[in-house]
Amino acid sequence: VQLQASGGGLVQPGGSLRLSCAISGSILSIDVTAWYRQVPGKQRELVASRSSGGRINYADSVRGRFIISRDDAKNTVQLQMNSLDARDTGVYYCKAERLRLRNMQSFREVWGQGTLVTVSS
């Protein structure tokens, strides 16, 4: 199982970016998919998560600006980020929780590599 994040880059304040995470493997089910953010010197923090049942959580700092979505048929997770400002700068990681594969293997969590988002003029 691998998670591949993409879509990061340099964006001006007020701009938008769309991150995508492709989950490869013979996936049977994924309970929760999430995006985390980390800046140097700080702990990785949850940005947004979405469960298979549709329950969505957002960090207070991004609520109303970011939208998390997932396509279970394609095993992808997206994070639409709008009205970006400097506080959104960081490395963004996608994570999948409680995965089950078709061979009945299960994983508590799997992380993707990060994608860097820089908000700067």
Side-chain angles (χ1 to χ4, degrees), residues 28-121:
L28 180 62
S29 64
I30 302 172
D31 187 10
V32 176
T33 50
W35 287 96
Y36 284 72
R37 174 171 68 200
Q38 188 167 27
V39 297
K42 292 189 176 181
Q43 286 189 330
R44 197 171 294 185
E45 62 174 355
L46 176 68
V47 174
S49 67
R50 184 180 179 118
S51 74
S52 57
R55 181 174 180 176
I56 295 176
N57 288 311
Y58 291 105
D60 289 343
S61 62
V62 308
R63 188 174 291 112
R65 300 186 298 122
F66 290 13
I67 300 172
I68 186 171
S69 59
R70 60 189 270 179
D71 185 333
D72 289 333
K74 296 181 179 179
N75 287 325
T76 58
V77 186
Q78 287 79 37
L79 185 68
Q80 178 66 42
M81 306 187 295
N82 303 316
S83 301
L84 288 161
D85 60 40
R87 62 181 171 165
D88 299 314
T89 293
V91 179
Y92 285 71
Y93 298 87
C94 56
K95 184 177 81 165
E97 297 178 8
R98 294 183 288 282
L99 295 86
R100 180 164 288 183
L101 305 186
R102 295 188 186 280
N103 65 6
M104 302 313 289
Q105 270 188 296
S106 61
F107 297 85
R108 185 173 64 89
E109 63 179 32
V110 180
W111 288 90
Q113 95 294 354
T115 185
L116 177 63
V117 173
T118 303
V119 184
S120 175
S121 56

